[in-house]
Amino acid sequence: MSLKENFARRAERMRASEIRELLKLLDQPDIISFAGGIPDPALFPTDAFAAAMSNAVSGDAGALQYSSSEGYAPLREWLAQHMTELGVPADADNIFITSGSQQALDYLGKLYLSAQDTALVTWPTYLGALGAFNAYEARFDQLNLTGNRGADDYVAGAEAAGGAVKFAYLSADFSNPTGETVDREGRLKLIEECDQMDCALIEDGAYQALRYDGEAVPPIQALEVAQKGNLEECRTIYCGSFSKTLSPGLRVGWVCARRDVIQKLVLIKQAGDLHSATLNQMAVYQVAENLFERHIPKLQKTYAARRDAMLAALARDMPAGVEWTRPEGGMFVWLTLPKGLDGKDLLAHAVEAHRVAFVPGGAFFADGSGSNTIRLSFSLPPEDVINEGVARLGAAMRDCIGRS
Amino acid sequence: MSLKENFARRAERMRASEIRELLKLLDQPDIISFAGGIPDPALFPTDAFAAAMSNAVSGDAGALQYSSSEGYAPLREWLAQHMTELGVPADADNIFITSGSQQALDYLGKLYLSAQDTALVTWPTYLGALGAFNAYEARFDQLNLTGNRGADDYVAGAEAAGGAVKFAYLSADFSNPTGETVDREGRLKLIEECDQMDCALIEDGAYQALRYDGEAVPPIQALEVAQKGNLEECRTIYCGSFSKTLSPGLRVGWVCARRDVIQKLVLIKQAGDLHSATLNQMAVYQVAENLFERHIPKLQKTYAARRDAMLAALARDMPAGVEWTRPEGGMFVWLTLPKGLDGKDLLAHAVEAHRVAFVPGGAFFADGSGSNTIRLSFSLPPEDVINEGVARLGAAMRDCIGRS
């Protein structure tokens, strides 16, 4: 008996991330980690969730039962109102509840991508988006927001590869991994290019609520609705998440889009996992309804202080030739190292000799470039730990620069 | 601007089920519904879940945080022990936690099926399995447990269609929709055929715990381990679920399989939804650990009485020429109507004139046959309602037979 690996062709693309495997080893108390990119659990509204869970389980006969693939109606209505406040007039039929926004990316890949179709993504982009789209045997092309390339180039490249450009994907606010924000002009240009390509535009709003300073830019979807008059005429598909605002562990996110897209996603979910956990949606609805508006400023205050500490520490401790972003929100600062300094080599040395960790940037590039970049997250460690960690990182860099 | 539908090729196969749409209309108090197939919420261990949720949210800092794609370690260990008790010696590395067993089917489709590959399924089979595999552009062939066809025929058919037989899928205990069980001999024969085809064998154990009488047959996976000595040598992939035993709304299921399959599924989940909700896994673990063994007999007692009531009522009220299964467990009885009587027509008349509902059987057949079959679920209505509902169904049938 051979038990041959008779997996689908796409399974060849599924490989364990070496970074993820490495990071598993970092769960040691003497290591300062800027790797994670996870929210500080001390900021979770724990008491509110305990009360909401208890109310729902004991008070609502449906809390433990099967429920609809679209999602829990009061939560969909709350989110329609939330999107309306963000400048996207929507109703509950425009909202689809997902098990976190990662599932939105998976299902959008499933909806749009046949093998060899092209997804346009920034270089770098969210690692989880590459993973989600990769499973559908996508081809990636570089979405260039500075205008060096345009719609015609993208379409020609996609056709040459035997597919079509199906969507552009980006996070426009404090993106993972760079922390950068696309300005209004860049957003309008992107809508225009997607109009020219007649493709979808997936806006990942995972960090949207976490702005600490600077002027808020409306979501791309809001700008498109303002242009075209009605969400039903819009190609932008907005993916939102409660993971960065209320709790990641409950796995509740949403998609806001025109109805035909929502209806297809509901069919994908019926066949995918039936529905997101009923109780979780009820609890998130209760907590969001009761305290979302006053909870966000608490997050902003804490994370802004950590970002400030990290930027100050970087200015103090980075060797010459290292550059970094100045994010107005989110959880990440993105560093470009002097040429020749490799993020993976730096990580190995930093962990071994200085007990500080981060994520090498190469994994965020669809083409495997970006070896001289790294991502630091400031969301979890308090300021004094950030100071110490950045000092260690500077020392590790100087070691590596001295060697090369 | 055209907003053309530039969806993937697979999206053409995604259609709203007309049955599902019809059943949405049935949520009216005067209709007796045998349609659902959902557990009775009065049997949910509600207090135990309320306590477990409260303990977990307040007592475990990780309850609302991101967690691992493999699943919550204590739950994996509990399930490894559970599988060992079912005759499948397993350890935690053989267990992967899913968001319900529907997600297991989706991810197994994703792992095994390239377009035109063949999934062998019974005629009829679980509707959700057809939906899950269909999304990967599978071809279906009829898994014939009575031996009219065999491995060579299946392989020849798959190759003629341009693919390969990737797996056989079945529910061997009280299957949805027929309620029937595959005996030991049938299970052994199936292992032998899958060995010949060198394909996987997906055993859907969703109803496995709900046996009311008759002699228990070991899971196919247990029979295969007994033959081959070790789970790592086995092709059977067991999909389990807490939906029918503790709560469907929490969306917690599992896969038990050899490690290389588990590792691939973990990669799919990383790219799919990161992980199943942390709190839900903690709560299910606590409740399972505390009361699973003593909870199951309560379910068995209640559902057995309802099955008995339904079988007695069918014997009393069905017109001549109607045949039905006598399930030893589960939630369903499967009826074959006299030739020429169409399940969908019967449903339309039964709802309109007699206020009783069920699911027409055609949707459970991959080839669209089975129009003279229907599925009745006995899990939700109490005995007196079952009696009244079956009487109404008999009257509806007599109307239709009289007309034809």
Side-chain angles (χ1 to χ4, degrees):
Chain A
M1 195 204 55
S2 74
L3 274 182
K4 72 170 186 225
E5 286 209 353
N6 65 345
F7 298 142
R9 193 179 54 198
R10 72 176 68 79
E12 292 163 22
R13 296 178 169 221
M14 299 169 188
R15 293 207 189 87
S17 152
E18 56 183 292
I19 301 304
R20 221 185 270 264
E21 296 306 308
L22 180 64
L23 296 179
K24 277 186 188 172
L25 308 175
L26 298 187
D27 202 11
Q28 298 165 24
D30 68 325
I31 288 187
I32 294 177
S33 178
F34 300 131
I38 59 179
D40 185 342
L43 296 168
F44 295 156
T46 305
D47 293 343
F49 271 117
M53 293 282 171
S54 173
N55 286 346
V57 175
S58 306
D60 190 321
L64 299 175
Q65 185 60 289
Y66 286 117
S67 59
S68 79
S69 299
E70 292 86 336
Y72 179 56
L75 181 59
R76 295 173 79 208
E77 281 154 24
W78 188 90
L79 284 165
Q81 181 59 33
H82 178 70
M83 293 305 301
T84 302
E85 286 161 15
L86 291 178
V88 181
D91 66 31
D93 288 346
N94 299 114
I95 304 290
F96 166 64
I97 306 294
T98 61
S99 296
S101 66
Q102 184 67 35
Q103 185 173 68
L105 302 182
D106 178 27
Y107 286 2
L108 287 167
K110 199 170 190 176
L111 178 57
Y112 279 100
L113 296 168
S114 291
Q116 292 311 310
D117 278 344
T118 291
L120 301 179
V121 298
T122 53
W123 257 224
T125 189
Y126 169 52
L127 183 56
L130 295 177
F133 305 150
N134 194 41
Y136 299 101
E137 300 176 271
R139 171 183 174 268
F140 294 102
D141 199 356
Q142 181 179 7
L143 180 64
N144 196 322
L145 297 170
T146 59
N148 288 330
R149 299 178 66 212
D152 289 346
D153 298 308
Y154 298 140
V155 169
E159 287 175 356
V165 176
K166 290 303 183 69
F167 55 75
Y169 162 83
L170 86 166
S171 177
D173 297 283
F174 338 117
S175 77
N176 180 355
T178 70
E180 290 178 315
T181 296
V182 180
D183 64 15
R184 180 187 290 258
E185 190 186 353
R187 295 178 193 216
L188 291 172
K189 184 170 172 308
L190 189 58
I191 295 169
E192 189 187 323
E193 279 191 354
C194 289
D195 280 348
Q196 282 170 31
M197 293 183 281
D198 198 12
C199 72
L201 200 176
I202 300 176
E203 178 177 20
D204 186 339
Y207 298 92
Q208 190 275 335
L210 299 182
R211 173 176 282 281
Y212 313 137
D213 42 40
E215 194 186 345
V217 191
I220 298 172
Q221 194 173 50
L223 295 172
E224 194 187 7
V225 173
Q227 275 183 1
K228 295 176 185 166
N230 189 316
L231 183 53
E232 295 307 311
E233 304 300 318
C234 288
R235 59 184 71 254
T236 307
I237 299 169
Y238 184 96
C239 304
S241 173
F242 289 104
S243 291
K244 308 304 186 290
T245 52
L246 297 182
S247 158
L250 295 179
R251 313 305 301 130
V252 180
W254 73 92
V255 173
C256 177
R258 61 181 206 270
R259 285 193 186 81
D260 71 314
V261 170
I262 297 295
Q263 286 159 4
K264 284 288 188 189
L265 291 171
V266 170
L267 295 178
I268 289 176
K269 194 156 177 81
Q270 279 176 4
D273 65 4
L274 299 183
H275 62 85
S276 290
T278 316
L279 174 64
N280 303 34
Q281 297 182 67
M282 289 177 170
V284 165
Y285 164 68
Q286 275 191 41
V287 172
E289 170 77 15
N290 289 337
L291 58 69
F292 191 83
E293 292 305 324
R294 62 177 199 275
H295 187 63
I296 299 301
K298 292 184 198 172
L299 304 177
Q300 289 168 327
K301 188 178 169 204
T302 302
Y303 292 141
R306 292 177 185 171
R307 177 206 55 178
D308 291 345
M310 181 166 276
L311 291 177
L314 288 168
R316 197 164 52 228
D317 293 326
M318 286 298 100
V322 178
E323 297 177 351
W324 57 93
T325 58
R326 273 90 182 160
E328 296 181 330
M331 298 186 168
F332 305 106
V333 176
W334 180 251
L335 276 65
T336 304
L337 309 177
K339 269 183 194 156
L341 188 50
D342 183 280
K344 280 193 225 174
D345 295 342
L346 177 64
L347 177 62
H349 177 70
V351 168
E352 192 188 321
H354 298 275
R355 312 307 277 165
V356 61
F358 53 84
V359 180
F364 300 94
F365 288 78
D367 67 344
S369 63
S371 64
N372 68 323
T373 57
I374 67 173
R375 188 193 76 176
L376 305 186
S377 168
F378 53 79
S379 57
L380 207 47
E383 285 97 304
D384 58 336
V385 177
I386 289 175
N387 286 335
E388 169 64 19
V390 172
R392 293 184 189 183
L393 180 62
M397 284 180 183
R398 276 183 287 271
D399 291 349
C400 290
I401 292 169
R403 275 189 216 158
S404 64
Chain B
M1 195 201 57
S2 76
L3 275 182
K4 74 169 182 226
E5 286 209 352
N6 64 343
F7 299 144
R9 196 179 52 198
R10 72 176 67 79
E12 292 163 20
R13 296 177 169 222
M14 299 169 187
R15 294 209 186 84
S17 153
E18 57 183 295
I19 301 303
R20 220 183 270 265
E21 297 306 307
L22 182 63
L23 295 179
K24 277 187 189 171
L25 308 175
L26 298 186
D27 202 10
Q28 298 165 25
D30 68 324
I31 288 186
I32 294 177
S33 178
F34 299 132
I38 58 178
D40 185 343
L43 296 168
F44 295 154
T46 304
D47 294 344
F49 272 118
M53 293 283 171
S54 173
N55 287 345
V57 174
S58 306
D60 190 322
L64 299 175
Q65 185 58 289
Y66 285 117
S67 60
S68 80
S69 300
E70 294 85 337
Y72 179 58
L75 181 60
R76 295 173 79 206
E77 281 154 23
W78 189 91
L79 284 164
Q81 182 58 34
H82 178 70
M83 292 307 300
T84 302
E85 286 161 16
L86 291 177
V88 180
D91 65 31
D93 288 345
N94 299 115
I95 304 291
F96 166 65
I97 305 295
T98 60
S99 296
S101 65
Q102 183 68 34
Q103 186 174 67
L105 302 181
D106 178 28
Y107 285 4
L108 288 167
K110 199 170 187 175
L111 178 57
Y112 279 100
L113 297 168
S114 292
Q116 292 310 308
D117 278 343
T118 291
L120 300 179
V121 297
T122 53
W123 257 224
T125 190
Y126 168 51
L127 182 56
L130 295 178
F133 306 150
N134 195 41
Y136 301 101
E137 302 176 87
R139 170 183 175 267
F140 295 102
D141 198 357
Q142 183 179 7
L143 180 65
N144 196 321
L145 297 169
T146 61
N148 288 331
R149 302 177 64 208
D152 290 346
D153 297 308
Y154 298 140
V155 170
E159 287 175 356
V165 175
K166 291 302 183 69
F167 55 75
Y169 162 84
L170 86 167
S171 178
D173 298 283
F174 338 116
S175 78
N176 178 359
T178 70
E180 291 178 316
T181 295
V182 180
D183 64 14
R184 179 186 292 259
E185 190 187 355
R187 295 178 193 216
L188 292 172
K189 185 170 172 306
L190 189 58
I191 295 169
E192 190 188 324
E193 281 192 352
C194 290
D195 280 348
Q196 284 170 31
M197 292 182 280
D198 198 11
C199 72
L201 200 175
I202 301 175
E203 178 176 21
D204 184 341
Y207 299 91
Q208 190 273 337
L210 298 182
R211 174 176 282 281
Y212 313 137
D213 44 38
E215 195 185 345
V217 191
I220 297 171
Q221 193 172 51
L223 296 171
E224 194 187 9
V225 172
Q227 276 183 1
K228 296 176 184 166
N230 189 316
L231 183 52
E232 295 307 313
E233 304 299 319
C234 289
R235 62 182 71 255
T236 307
I237 299 168
Y238 183 94
C239 304
S241 173
F242 289 105
S243 292
K244 309 304 187 289
T245 53
L246 295 182
S247 158
L250 295 179
R251 311 306 301 130
V252 181
W254 72 93
V255 173
C256 177
R258 63 180 203 272
R259 285 191 186 82
D260 71 314
V261 170
I262 297 295
Q263 286 159 3
K264 284 287 190 190
L265 291 172
V266 170
L267 295 179
I268 290 176
K269 194 156 176 80
Q270 278 176 5
D273 65 6
L274 300 183
H275 63 85
S276 290
T278 316
L279 174 64
N280 303 35
Q281 297 183 68
M282 290 177 170
V284 164
Y285 165 67
Q286 276 192 40
V287 171
E289 169 79 13
N290 290 338
L291 59 70
F292 191 83
E293 291 307 323
R294 61 177 202 276
H295 187 63
I296 299 300
K298 291 184 197 173
L299 304 177
Q300 289 167 327
K301 187 177 168 207
T302 301
Y303 292 142
R306 291 176 186 174
R307 176 206 54 179
D308 293 344
M310 181 167 275
L311 292 176
L314 289 168
R316 196 163 55 228
D317 293 327
M318 287 297 101
V322 178
E323 297 176 352
W324 58 93
T325 58
R326 272 88 180 160
E328 295 180 330
M331 297 185 168
F332 305 106
V333 177
W334 179 251
L335 277 65
T336 305
L337 309 177
K339 272 184 190 152
L341 189 50
D342 182 280
K344 279 194 225 171
D345 295 344
L346 178 62
L347 177 62
H349 177 69
V351 168
E352 190 189 323
H354 298 275
R355 311 307 279 166
V356 60
F358 52 84
V359 180
F364 299 95
F365 289 79
D367 68 343
S369 63
S371 65
N372 68 323
T373 57
I374 67 174
R375 188 193 76 176
L376 305 186
S377 167
F378 53 79
S379 57
L380 206 48
E383 286 98 302
D384 58 336
V385 176
I386 290 176
N387 286 337
E388 169 65 18
V390 173
R392 292 184 189 184
L393 180 62
M397 285 181 181
R398 277 183 286 273
D399 291 348
C400 290
I401 292 169
R403 274 190 218 159
S404 64

